[in-house]
Amino acid sequence: MSTLDHDPLEAGRVYKSTGALPQKMLRSTVYRAWERSHLQGANPHALQAEKLSILETERLVEQHGYLLNAVQPYFHILSQAAGKEPHAVMLSDRHAVLLGLTGDKQTINTESFPQAGSLLSESVAGANGIGTPLAEENYVEIVTNEHFIDGFHPFTCQGIPIRNEKQEIVGVLSISSQRQDAGKRLKEILLCASHAVEAELLVANLEKDIHHVLVSHPDDYQPLEKLRQDIIQAHHAARLKLEVSSRLVAGNRLDYAKQLLQQAEQSIRTFERQGEIWRNLASNHIGSVETISLTDTIQDLVELLSTEAAIRKVEVVTNWQEEITVITETASLLRRLLRYFLECFEIAGKGGTLEITVHRMLNSENILIRFMPVAVLNTYSVEPTPFTFSLPITIK
């Protein structure tokens, strides 16, 4: 059955009159949500008002202060993207309890609209933009009559779970609008904002980690702190692109907004990957030996150190013929590579070049990695010795 054949309004009428769920009249995601809502006892005629007390809500909000702080800039961005349309941007915890919301006053100050402390799980609120993304563990859009409860029918709601660095769901970011076509306009910026919030959580953890570095290995503090600042600056640039995109979305300049969103999304993904590299560099933890892509790892470090190379005016040249995987412990390899990068930058000097070569050793199951610093003018009294080491290659 095509989407055009779905009729949630008629499905709701049938359900209320017969108690049967007409599967063919609903999108599969919505059908599953209605089935869960039905089985858990949601009332299709009215929201079951389950709300924490003022004191309980204050305690919950305080407990999730880190999440609200991370989301706050994106509340503004998403609300701005909705423009003058009636809307609400909401954040819940992982149990579907509303932690905070923003939007136009006419919408969020309505007496019947859920406020902080309200439970919006499918068991009490039916299919909705908070409870259903939690149940599906994924992005979900509920369009007007696809809501299980009549009171939510004026809204089109979209929600997506927010995950921490362990990929555990910590909440849901959602936006509701009274424009049925809002989904197409707001979906991409909501998805991008959710990833940016996850990156904000990572930024907060990097702040904690730098204090650990200062205490445990102070000799490495300065270079790691500079790298951390470079990573965070890149993330701030992504947030700025999101901010501009939200104004363009509100003005229906969607093509340009989409280009900026794609750039922001790419920057956020790069930040997440570089953040993980940084945490490996900063950690004292020795992991297990594993198979990793040596060439990708070196390329990631080249990108991570691009600002440092630009400041020193050192060109980095890499040379390998194919992707090469090796068997090693990741954190130790990264720290060794970082040390060679920084030492070679120092030797090459302003205007110099760092040549990195990776190749298979003859009659061996090892790979040779070679770092060669080259100054712009050969003023060395003794030719510099390249930094080399070998690793066992993964046999395919």
Side-chain angles (χ1 to χ4, degrees):
M1 178 177 280
S2 72
T3 304
L4 293 175
D5 295 323
H6 295 145
D7 189 347
L9 183 61
E10 178 63 11
R13 190 193 64 77
V14 171
Y15 173 67
K16 288 166 195 165
S17 60
T18 68
L21 285 168
Q23 183 173 0
K24 293 183 179 180
M25 293 183 184
L26 298 168
R27 292 187 291 131
S28 57
T29 304
V30 176
Y31 173 75
R32 289 195 299 272
W34 281 35
E35 190 175 40
R36 288 190 298 267
S37 304
H38 167 74
L39 292 173
Q40 293 176 84
N43 179 355
H45 299 288
L47 171 71
Q48 297 179 44
E50 290 196 19
K51 190 174 185 300
L52 299 178
S53 69
I54 293 175
L55 183 58
E56 289 170 330
T57 301
E58 288 175 351
R59 286 175 178 166
L60 190 68
V61 167
E62 183 179 356
Q63 179 187 343
H64 291 81
Y66 76 100
L67 184 56
L68 279 160
N69 287 338
V71 167
Q72 207 62 43
Y74 305 97
F75 265 4
H76 164 72
I77 286 171
L78 289 170
S79 186
Q80 184 168 258
K84 296 180 181 178
E85 301 295 337
H87 68 278
V89 184
M90 294 176 280
L91 172 72
S92 80
D93 71 358
R94 63 189 177 91
H95 300 297
V97 179
L98 203 54
L99 296 171
L101 72 164
T102 190
D104 68 286
K105 292 181 180 177
Q106 189 176 356
T107 298
I108 65 172
N109 291 340
T110 304
E111 188 175 345
S112 59
F113 200 87
Q115 299 296 314
S118 299
L119 177 61
L120 292 176
S121 67
E122 289 182 332
S123 62
V124 301
N128 72 87
I130 295 284
T132 302
L134 272 176
E136 293 282 326
E137 298 186 351
N138 207 343
Y139 165 84
V140 173
E141 180 185 33
I142 306 289
V143 180
T144 61
N145 297 318
E146 290 180 335
H147 284 93
F148 189 72
I149 293 175
D150 295 347
F152 290 158
H153 284 186
F155 295 97
T156 289
C157 302
Q158 304 171 73
I160 182 169
I162 302 291
R163 289 179 164 82
N164 62 18
E165 62 191 75
K166 297 177 182 176
Q167 293 304 299
E168 300 165 334
I169 292 176
V170 294
V172 171
L173 185 63
S174 171
I175 184 164
S176 300
S177 169
Q178 291 193 32
R179 283 285 299 271
Q180 191 169 343
D181 62 351
K184 294 177 183 176
R185 201 159 54 94
L186 298 174
K187 177 181 178 180
E188 290 187 36
I189 198 165
L190 173 67
L191 297 182
C192 196
S194 71
H195 296 145
V197 170
E198 292 170 349
E200 294 282 350
L201 298 177
L202 184 55
V203 168
N205 284 331
L206 294 185
E207 297 282 349
K208 297 176 187 172
D209 289 342
I210 195 66
H211 296 294
H212 164 74
V213 173
L214 183 58
V215 172
S216 58
H217 35 100
D219 292 343
D220 294 336
Y221 178 79
Q222 289 296 340
L224 286 175
E225 170 61 3
K226 287 175 70 176
L227 280 182
R228 188 184 69 91
Q229 290 292 343
D230 290 344
I231 295 171
I232 291 175
Q233 286 300 319
H235 177 59
H236 288 170
R239 187 201 290 181
L240 184 60
K241 290 188 177 80
L242 262 173
E243 165 73 27
V244 175
S245 298
S246 68
R247 292 200 292 269
L248 295 172
V249 168
N252 275 323
R253 296 175 60 189
L254 300 185
D255 289 342
Y256 189 28
K258 190 172 183 179
Q259 289 177 28
L260 274 181
L261 282 172
Q262 288 170 347
Q263 292 174 18
E265 183 75 28
Q266 181 61 41
S267 297
I268 291 164
R269 294 302 184 198
T270 300
F271 165 81
E272 290 174 339
R273 193 174 70 252
Q274 293 187 342
E276 182 61 30
I277 294 172
W278 191 92
R279 299 199 76 177
N280 266 315
L281 287 168
S283 172
N284 284 330
H285 176 71
I286 302 298
S288 56
V289 172
E290 58 185 342
T291 299
I292 65 168
S293 170
L294 174 64
T295 44
D296 285 354
T297 300
I298 293 175
Q299 192 58 49
D300 283 342
L301 275 174
V302 171
E303 293 176 14
L304 184 60
L305 290 160
S306 60
T307 302
E308 184 69 17
I311 291 171
R312 293 171 178 263
K313 299 188 185 307
V314 175
E315 181 184 9
V316 180
V317 178
T318 57
N319 182 22
W320 50 77
Q321 301 300 315
E322 58 185 335
E323 181 185 4
I324 295 173
T325 56
V326 294
I327 304 169
T328 188
E329 194 278 314
T330 303
S332 299
L333 172 64
L334 283 168
R335 285 195 285 272
R336 187 174 196 173
L337 291 172
L338 176 65
R339 190 168 66 251
Y340 286 173
F341 266 104
L342 296 179
E343 289 184 18
C344 289
F345 283 171
E346 197 67 35
I347 295 170
K350 184 178 179 181
T353 302
L354 167 57
E355 297 175 353
I356 306 170
T357 305
V358 180
H359 64 82
R360 296 169 184 263
M361 299 172 68
L362 288 176
N363 303 317
S364 170
E365 294 182 351
N366 282 0
I367 286 293
L368 185 69
I369 302 104
R370 180 175 183 268
F371 280 65
M372 183 66 197
V374 181
V376 66
L377 294 175
N378 190 353
T379 56
Y380 301 124
S381 55
V382 179
E383 284 294 322
T385 304
F387 297 83
T388 61
F389 66 104
S390 63
L391 289 170
I393 191 172
T394 303
I395 306 298
K396 294 183 178 179

